[in-house]
Amino acid sequence: MYLNFKIHFGPSSFFVLINTNPDELSEFSNEFIGARELVVTLLFFIPLLRLNSITSAILNVTYKFKFVTYKFLKLGACTLLFLTVFKFTRIIDHNLPYLICRSFILNHKDKKFVEDFNSQIETNNNSFKNKNNNLNNTFVVVIGESVTSSHMQLYGYYRNTTPFFQKIKDSLSIYEDVISPNTSTFHSLSKALTLGNYEDPKKVLALPITTLFNKSGFKTFWISNHSPAFNPGSALARVSGQAQLKFFNSKAVVMGNLKHDGELLDKVDEALKDDFSHKIIFLHLIGAHFSYENRYPEEFNVFSDKPKTKFKDEMAYQKINQYDNAVRYSDFILNKVLQKLKTEKANSYLMYFSDHGEEVFQDEDFYGHLEDKPTKNTFKIPFIMWYSNHFKYPKDYSYKKKRKYMTDDLWHSIVHISGLKNSFLDKRRSIFSSEFVNRKRLILEGENYETFFE
């Protein structure tokens, strides 16, 4: 982490690591770990070969204190001193054994919280209603991956990366100032698709959006071009796990991770052809996640000229071109999905947003998305809506394209626009409601997004 990005391996990186999947871990290793990183890492293990001698040397040093014979007391005092310094200087947040122990404790507390919350739902007999129960409802929520609005022509980018969206932009609701709460899939979608948000992060394990739709009489589909997460008890794994029909386009052997989003289109077809009256389909694309060159077929290798960037080196040019090709391919996939959805004579919408953005040699001399190395582009995301001619808008529907919004409140927006009613919905947090209330968009550890990157 330090060699590649000049940052320390902190808590956010550790939590992403334990909640990722094999494909993402393989890709990260292929992209950023080479001979230099392996050699330097191995050097850190050399002291372990002499651990017994080092420990004896530390104990011998303590004999210089007055309490000569109390070895354990001296060792305990030194340990307490070190822990106090580490805790108040926050150095301990970079200590791997501490992170592991703390994670196990937090995981246990999270399980207890889920049990208590689920019990509360049952005992309080909360009502979950579909106000459009007399209609055929087909909703499609497309989750992009690592797509920043800064590289979409629809949002003012100089390259034609969104030709399909450009053609139909007059029929779209395009929100211009939407950001993600985090720069990792695990953290951002855990908040977007649950009751959790910046103010109340513990509720990321409370009432996944799929559970809510199940209770409201919908058939739920989760179609993903990702492998399942390592941790089946994590917030995001609970969201996908509660879907009634699930498909993960994972490979038995990860070799270059050449999984194109077009492989999911047949599964989308099957879901749309399902004759159930009320359906919601969550389509999780791999989008523009690195390795960018693996995200599109050869016929979408459109951009090969020198791109605009202040970082003048061949790797920057190559990565920007590959990334823009991946964004253009996502535009193609969305076209295919929307054409299929348009054949449905139903109360329907298509929602498209990205889990988080991406930095690709625009503001900083690197590519990727790291919470410990944030840039504005890693938070800026597209948020686009398409509605069918048969769509029944909520009575309080309001479209304000410049609304400042953060997707940790997306749960409320999806529930509201879908015509569902329950005691957990807060319309002040729905981007579609006339009751919407602006809130301060806090990122990282309490930083105001509006001023942090100035």
Side-chain angles (χ1 to χ4, degrees):
M1 295 292 278
Y2 185 79
L3 286 174
N4 283 291
F5 309 111
K6 300 299 182 288
I7 59 174
H8 294 290
F9 186 77
S12 63
S13 301
F14 179 74
F15 276 99
V16 170
L17 174 65
I18 64 173
N19 287 288
T20 188
N21 59 57
D23 292 344
E24 288 203 354
L25 191 59
S26 172
E27 277 196 341
F28 187 89
S29 301
N30 290 336
E31 284 287 321
F32 299 111
I33 299 179
R36 179 188 65 159
E37 288 76 18
L38 289 174
V39 169
V40 173
T41 303
L42 287 172
L43 290 176
F44 279 90
F45 287 93
I46 291 177
L48 292 179
L49 301 176
R50 302 288 296 170
L51 187 60
N52 186 55
S53 300
I54 293 170
T55 305
S56 299
I58 292 173
L59 288 174
N60 288 334
V61 170
T62 63
Y63 280 108
K64 296 180 181 179
F65 293 100
K66 292 182 179 179
F67 38 98
V68 178
T69 57
Y70 299 99
K71 293 183 180 180
F72 291 105
L73 181 60
K74 290 183 293 184
L75 187 60
C78 291
T79 302
L80 183 62
L81 177 62
F82 277 117
L83 287 176
T84 302
V85 172
F86 289 166
K87 179 68 176 176
F88 287 100
T89 59
R90 303 199 66 176
I91 295 175
I92 200 168
D93 287 342
H94 303 286
N95 179 267
L96 191 59
Y98 168 77
L99 287 175
I100 294 172
C101 294
R102 183 170 179 266
S103 298
F104 279 117
I105 294 171
L106 290 176
N107 189 55
H108 175 74
K109 289 182 177 180
D110 288 344
K111 287 182 178 179
K112 182 68 169 61
F113 172 80
V114 172
E115 291 172 0
D116 293 343
F117 186 87
N118 290 342
S119 176
Q120 173 193 341
I121 292 177
E122 299 302 326
T123 55
N124 291 350
N125 195 27
N126 288 282
S127 58
F128 297 89
K129 295 181 180 178
N130 175 11
K131 292 189 287 186
N132 297 323
N133 196 51
N134 59 322
L135 303 174
N136 288 328
N137 300 287
T138 302
F139 306 139
V140 178
V141 178
V142 183
I143 306 167
E145 173 68 48
S146 305
V147 176
T148 175
S149 54
S150 302
H151 278 251
M152 297 178 71
Q153 186 185 22
L154 195 66
Y155 283 86
Y157 189 53
Y158 73 98
R159 275 177 162 176
N160 186 18
T161 54
T162 53
F164 162 64
F165 273 146
Q166 287 298 120
K167 290 180 182 178
I168 66 165
K169 64 180 180 181
D170 292 338
S171 65
L172 302 173
S173 297
I174 304 166
Y175 293 87
E176 299 177 355
D177 195 358
V178 176
I179 65 170
S180 62
N182 297 91
T183 66
S184 70
T185 302
F186 167 70
H187 284 110
S188 60
L189 292 186
S190 293
K191 293 173 182 172
L193 302 177
T194 67
L195 283 174
N197 51 41
Y198 190 92
E199 292 84 2
D200 201 354
K202 196 166 187 177
K203 284 188 177 178
V204 294
L205 292 165
L207 201 56
I209 192 71
T210 42
T211 300
L212 183 280
F213 274 90
N214 291 339
K215 288 180 174 290
S216 302
F218 275 72
K219 195 167 190 176
T220 50
F221 299 80
W222 187 275
I223 302 171
S224 175
N225 206 14
H226 297 253
S227 299
F230 278 145
N231 180 4
S234 68
L236 184 54
R238 285 171 52 79
V239 173
S240 59
Q242 290 298 310
Q244 295 168 17
L245 292 173
K246 297 175 282 291
F247 173 76
F248 294 94
N249 191 31
S250 54
K251 304 294 186 185
V253 179
V254 179
M255 294 295 291
N257 202 20
L258 298 169
K259 302 190 299 183
H260 299 146
D261 287 326
E263 297 179 26
L264 302 180
L265 293 175
D266 287 343
K267 291 297 178 181
V268 174
D269 260 338
E270 291 177 17
L272 289 173
K273 289 175 182 176
D274 190 290
D275 59 4
F276 201 80
S277 299
H278 313 301
K279 297 174 291 187
I280 184 164
I281 302 165
F282 293 92
L283 178 61
H284 190 188
L285 305 179
I286 204 162
H289 195 286
F290 57 69
S291 305
Y292 310 136
E293 69 273 20
N294 291 341
R295 298 295 158 252
Y296 51 90
E298 180 57 34
E299 58 266 30
F300 282 85
N301 188 16
V302 176
F303 304 108
S304 57
D305 57 326
K306 184 180 291 187
K308 295 179 181 178
T309 176
K310 60 186 177 183
F311 304 105
K312 310 299 182 182
D313 65 75
E314 288 302 319
M315 187 177 76
Y317 302 151
Q318 181 187 62
K319 293 299 179 183
I320 293 170
N321 285 339
Q322 292 169 350
Y323 183 79
D324 288 349
N325 288 332
V327 173
R328 187 176 172 115
Y329 183 60
S330 287
D331 177 80
F332 167 79
I333 295 297
L334 285 160
N335 177 25
K336 291 293 187 182
V337 174
L338 186 53
Q339 296 312 314
K340 296 174 186 296
L341 181 58
K342 282 182 176 179
T343 64
E344 297 283 309
K345 304 300 182 184
N347 179 49
S348 59
Y349 67 72
L350 182 141
M351 174 186 293
Y352 174 67
F353 73 100
S354 185
D355 56 352
H356 52 76
E358 189 88 344
E359 177 61 45
V360 193
F361 299 102
Q362 189 164 343
D363 292 337
E364 297 286 344
D365 188 15
F366 86 101
Y367 67 99
H369 49 272
L370 293 166
E371 197 92 340
D372 298 312
K373 195 178 179 68
T375 72
K376 202 164 191 176
N377 299 305
T378 59
F379 287 94
K380 290 175 66 175
I381 59 171
F383 192 93
I384 301 165
M385 295 292 299
W386 172 88
Y387 304 99
S388 70
N389 294 330
H390 305 279
F391 186 71
K392 187 174 181 180
Y393 294 88
K395 291 181 179 179
D396 62 330
Y397 175 79
S398 173
Y399 171 49
K400 304 289 184 183
K401 64 180 181 180
K402 294 187 180 296
R403 268 183 178 160
K404 297 180 183 299
Y405 188 71
M406 188 161 72
T407 53
D408 60 342
D409 278 342
L410 188 63
W411 187 99
H412 299 276
S413 296
I414 294 176
V415 173
H416 174 230
I417 199 65
S418 301
L420 304 188
K421 182 180 179 181
N422 62 80
S423 59
F424 298 101
L425 172 60
D426 185 349
K427 292 183 179 181
R428 296 171 300 176
R429 293 180 176 269
S430 170
I431 195 173
F432 307 116
S433 177
S434 58
E435 299 178 28
F436 176 78
V437 176
N438 274 317
R439 57 189 273 252
K440 188 180 290 186
R441 296 188 290 184
L442 300 178
I443 58 173
L444 306 173
E445 296 184 8
E447 300 291 346
N448 188 339
Y449 172 80
E450 318 301 335
T451 59
F452 182 71
F453 296 105
E454 292 180 355

